[in-house]
Amino acid sequence: MRRVLTTLMILLVVLVAGLSALVLLVNPNDFRAYMVRQVEARSGYELKLDGPLRWHVWPQLSILSGRMSLTAPGAAAPLVSADNMRLDVALIPLFSHQLQVNQVMLKGAVIQLTPQTEAVRKADAPVAPRENTLPDEPSDTGWSFDIGSLKVADSVLVFQHEGDEQVTVRNISLKMEQDENHQATIDFSGRVNRDQRDLTLSLNANVNAADYPHQLTADIQQLNWQLTGADLPSQGIAGQGSLQAVWREEQKQLELDKLDLQANDSSLKGQASVSLAEKPKWVFNLQFDKLNLENLLAVPAADGNGADAPQTGQNQPKQPRPVISSNLDQPDYNGLRGFTADVMLKANSVRWRGIDFTDVSSQMFNHNGLLVISDLSGKMGDGQISLPGTLDVRTDNPTAEFQPRLDNVEIGTILKAFNYPISLTGKMALAGDFSGTKIDADAFRHDWQGQAHVELKNTRMEGLNFQQLVQQAVERSSNVTAKENYDSATRLDSFVSDLTLDSGTLTLNGMEGASQMLSLTGEGSLDLVKETADTRFNVRVLSGWEGEGKLVDFLKETPIPLTVYGKWQALNYSLQVDQVLRKHLQDEAKRRLNEWADKNKDSQKGKDVKKLLEKL
């Protein structure tokens, strides 16, 4: 045991003596000029090291520097600058005049990927088809240079595409390990705070840089993020996933493949790519197993026009983030002008505004501000819905045109989703053409125009029973009685109408409805902003009368004028039963007098009655 301890002490003394001798005999500043030359020779970048270099021997043999910067050829600003840099070097190669850097660590770094830090090629510089990516042969200076690991802590990344706003990534933590074949593993985390939104991001990836800068491939095995802030759900958006990414420098193209991402309770798979030309071109092919937009978008504010507008309580959305002053004069959807996109989406299930859709598919194309939605369709319960259209924002006045097609869709679900306080249920079929300037529910209420034909089946309108109103009015004005009816709703087997929408006023023309109990026709209008109605019906009650008789037969064949008006949630009505009955009595009296006059046409009284009837 004593010999083992003695041997260990001798080795420790030799190691300490060797390191001490190395620190005393080798000046790290001798490497300064060599590193600067090698960086410039191999990449063209200019490396600046401020202050003297010094040794740090524990726990790792390292060279410490003060502030450093790395600038691309001809760039106006450095690509990388840091408060200090640490180079972890291998001990043994130093004895043979080799500098082998195992790890580079930057602390307090600022990495700027902006137009000001991009390399500028000289006008007379030759253009080679491909740059040499292999390491240069060692010169006869007697030194070699190699980096196997990079670590960045407490740093900042500034990213800006030309003409766009800057995006700043803070609290960056980066660790990269690279082997001799340029295969690297990367651990990254950072945080982006912008427009009152906070994004926390972390990832683990395997990177193939063998053909860099011409091509860079990354297999992102674990990606995690959390997004919170203004215009987002109260719980924020959190998720994870994996994907493969390929960057092609010559084409300035980024390809994303094998996307497998989750966000809250939504998930997607697919592929995407972007070509970063003057106007980027995006291509998306995405498949959603489940897309719950209610957990990805902020809850829309309830329309408070109605007296009983829904109270969202604690589910009320946060205050929206303030409008950026530089965007105040920008027209709506201005961002669509700056790129082209070809998008294909499919979803097994989608939830939006309390509506569940299935088998949803969409195909759309944006060409620098002209968005063409050739297909946007899906199933809604037992029905089908299709919403193709266009959005043109190439001028300062956006225009939107859509051609909705609905078949066997529950109308009550749609009315509830958009907070219309109308108690109407039934299966709807609709075909129409509508146009406006802005795509949202409030703009549709106020500013859109269009026409449509609508058909409803098995409808039930709560609050007013047309049959009951007519029969009760008849009972009060005559000796005719009706069967007791306790239903407070109007039921129709079928209903059709033509609709015309003009800046909040929905005009109903050619209304026709029928059931076993009644038949009606009418016309009128609905104010979508004030939520009021002004409608006029002619109602024939076909059944529900007690007994038979000429008056009952007359009532079955005679339309009774009915006016329904006022606020949707407190409708008023007006019936003209007395006038109809009075006219019926008058007609019946005229008929009987005519019969009597015809029987006594030869008498003076008969002639006088006939003359009187002719004057009436």
Side-chain angles (χ1 to χ4, degrees):
M1 186 64 180
R2 182 180 300 174
R3 290 182 179 181
V4 174
L5 293 176
T6 302
T7 302
L8 291 177
M9 291 299 296
I10 292 173
L11 291 175
L12 180 59
V13 170
V14 171
L15 180 59
V16 173
L19 290 175
S20 301
L22 180 64
V23 171
L24 293 174
L25 298 176
V26 179
N27 185 355
N29 290 284
D30 293 341
F31 306 141
R32 179 195 297 272
Y34 171 75
M35 288 189 292
V36 171
R37 288 197 306 270
Q38 288 297 309
V39 169
E40 184 173 6
R42 300 188 184 202
S43 65
Y45 283 72
E46 178 186 2
L47 174 63
K48 287 185 177 181
L49 301 172
D50 296 338
L53 304 180
R54 60 192 185 278
W55 286 112
H56 181 76
V57 297
W58 185 263
Q60 168 70 41
L61 182 61
S62 307
I63 298 175
L64 302 181
S65 77
R67 185 166 183 81
M68 61 80 63
S69 64
L70 189 65
T71 307
L79 176 67
V80 179
S81 60
D83 294 335
N84 54 70
M85 177 175 67
R86 190 185 80 193
L87 305 178
D88 295 339
V89 301
L91 174 62
I92 301 302
L94 289 174
F95 292 100
S96 58
H97 297 285
Q98 292 182 345
L99 177 63
Q100 180 178 336
V101 180
N102 294 327
Q103 177 173 275
V104 177
M105 179 175 179
L106 302 177
K107 188 174 179 61
V110 177
I111 306 167
Q112 300 186 77
L113 300 178
T114 66
Q116 291 75 24
T117 63
E118 292 182 354
V120 179
R121 182 181 295 275
K122 295 181 180 179
D124 57 349
V127 180
R130 288 178 68 91
E131 297 179 2
N132 181 24
T133 60
L134 298 176
D136 292 345
E137 291 293 331
S139 62
D140 46 8
T141 58
W143 298 96
S144 64
F145 186 70
D146 189 19
I147 300 177
S149 179
L150 173 65
K151 186 175 182 180
V152 179
D154 300 331
S155 300
V156 174
L157 168 64
V158 179
F159 176 82
Q160 181 185 27
H161 187 61
E162 188 172 0
D164 295 337
E165 295 183 19
Q166 286 188 353
V167 177
T168 303
V169 185
R170 305 182 185 277
N171 299 344
I172 288 179
S173 176
L174 171 66
K175 184 177 181 181
M176 184 183 74
E177 300 285 345
Q178 181 180 219
D179 62 18
E180 63 276 5
N181 296 319
H182 301 286
Q183 305 292 324
T185 60
I186 294 178
D187 293 332
F188 171 86
S189 64
R191 183 174 62 87
V192 180
N193 187 284
R194 186 184 184 197
D195 297 344
Q196 291 191 336
R197 290 180 176 178
D198 190 86
L199 172 64
T200 302
L201 182 70
S202 66
L203 62 88
N204 300 322
N206 293 327
V207 178
N208 183 356
D211 198 24
Y212 180 81
H214 306 290
Q215 180 170 304
L216 187 65
T217 303
D219 182 8
I220 301 176
Q221 300 172 340
Q222 185 63 43
L223 174 66
N224 297 280
W225 71 87
Q226 185 172 14
L227 180 63
T228 59
D231 284 352
L232 291 172
S234 58
Q235 76 275 16
I237 301 174
Q240 61 279 330
S242 61
L243 62 109
Q244 292 182 354
V246 178
W247 169 255
R248 293 183 172 87
E249 175 63 25
E250 280 76 10
Q251 296 84 9
K252 300 293 183 184
Q253 185 181 55
L254 176 64
E255 293 183 359
L256 304 178
D257 196 12
K258 296 184 178 179
L259 285 166
D260 187 359
L261 304 176
Q262 293 80 41
N264 291 350
D265 58 344
S266 300
S267 61
L268 74 86
K269 296 183 179 180
Q271 305 83 35
S273 67
V274 57
S275 299
L276 297 178
E278 181 180 355
K279 290 189 175 181
K281 180 178 180 181
W282 292 85
V283 178
F284 293 95
N285 185 2
L286 304 177
Q287 300 86 42
F288 295 86
D289 181 52
K290 179 180 180 181
L291 178 59
N292 187 351
L293 295 174
E294 293 185 350
N295 282 343
L296 298 176
L297 304 175
V299 179
D303 190 345
N305 290 334
D308 297 325
Q311 300 297 319
T312 56
Q314 295 182 356
N315 292 326
Q316 288 182 349
K318 296 180 179 179
Q319 291 295 325
R321 68 182 190 274
V323 179
I324 301 173
S325 59
S326 60
N327 294 334
L328 289 176
D329 298 329
Q330 297 293 334
D332 291 329
Y333 314 109
N334 183 65
L336 292 175
R337 297 182 184 179
F339 67 94
T340 62
D342 192 353
V343 181
M344 182 176 293
L345 304 175
K346 290 185 178 298
N348 293 332
S349 66
V350 176
R351 183 170 180 82
W352 177 63
R353 284 181 173 263
I355 306 176
D356 291 313
F357 301 91
T358 57
D359 297 336
V360 176
S361 66
S362 176
Q363 187 167 3
M364 59 188 76
F365 179 76
N366 176 52
H367 186 71
N368 301 323
L370 177 60
L371 178 63
V372 179
I373 304 175
S374 57
D375 176 39
L376 179 56
S377 59
K379 295 180 180 179
M380 179 178 165
D382 297 328
Q384 295 277 349
I385 184 169
S386 176
L387 195 64
T390 61
L391 174 63
D392 191 348
V393 297
R394 293 173 294 181
T395 64
D396 291 339
N397 298 314
T399 58
E401 298 180 358
F402 284 86
Q403 299 80 43
R405 300 292 185 267
L406 285 75
D407 183 28
N408 200 36
V409 171
E410 175 56 53
I411 187 174
T413 304
I414 297 177
L415 294 173
K416 181 180 178 181
F418 291 94
N419 300 323
Y420 285 111
I422 301 177
S423 299
L424 177 65
T425 59
K427 300 296 185 178
M428 176 176 63
L430 180 145
D433 295 274
F434 295 91
S435 62
T437 59
K438 191 174 181 179
I439 304 175
D440 64 38
D442 190 61
F444 183 85
R445 283 182 171 94
H446 288 81
D447 304 320
W448 278 57
Q449 298 83 35
Q451 296 179 337
H453 178 75
V454 63
E455 298 180 3
L456 296 173
K457 295 181 178 179
N458 300 322
T459 61
R460 176 184 174 94
M461 187 179 72
E462 301 289 345
L464 289 178
N465 186 331
F466 286 5
Q467 174 197 356
Q468 187 181 71
L469 294 178
V470 172
Q471 289 180 333
Q472 289 178 349
V474 170
E475 287 180 327
R476 290 192 298 267
S477 302
S478 68
N479 57 358
V480 176
T481 60
K483 297 178 181 179
E484 290 187 355
N485 186 352
Y486 300 102
D487 196 349
S488 61
T490 299
R491 298 172 180 265
L492 294 174
D493 296 333
S494 64
F495 177 86
V496 298
S497 179
D498 292 322
L499 311 180
T500 301
L501 177 64
D502 185 11
S503 300
T505 300
L506 185 65
T507 303
L508 309 173
N509 294 314
M511 288 190 290
E512 295 182 4
S515 70
Q516 293 181 349
M517 303 295 294
L518 58 85
S519 174
L520 63 82
T521 60
E523 60 183 15
S525 64
L526 302 176
D527 192 317
L528 302 184
V529 179
K530 298 179 181 179
E531 297 185 353
T532 59
D534 183 11
T535 54
R536 296 161 297 283
F537 300 95
N538 291 313
V539 181
R540 289 193 300 124
V541 178
L542 305 178
S543 63
W545 303 103
E546 290 283 359
E548 298 292 337
K550 291 184 177 180
L551 182 56
V552 171
D553 294 338
F554 169 78
L555 291 172
K556 290 181 180 180
E557 298 296 330
T558 304
I560 305 297
L562 170 64
T563 301
V564 179
Y565 60 95
K567 300 288 290 186
W568 292 347
Q569 294 177 305
L571 290 172
N572 302 304
Y573 71 93
S574 173
L575 273 170
Q576 299 179 15
V577 173
D578 292 341
Q579 295 90 326
V580 173
L581 293 177
R582 187 181 301 111
K583 185 175 183 304
H584 172 69
L585 293 175
Q586 291 175 350
D587 293 340
E588 182 66 16
K590 288 182 180 179
R591 183 184 66 78
R592 293 186 178 185
L593 288 174
N594 268 319
E595 291 178 353
W596 184 88
D598 290 338
K599 291 180 180 180
N600 300 276
K601 58 183 178 181
D602 295 331
S603 67
Q604 184 62 37
K605 289 184 178 179
K607 293 178 181 179
D608 293 339
V609 170
K610 200 73 172 178
K611 290 180 180 179
L612 178 62
L613 291 174
E614 289 176 355
K615 294 181 180 179
L616 294 178

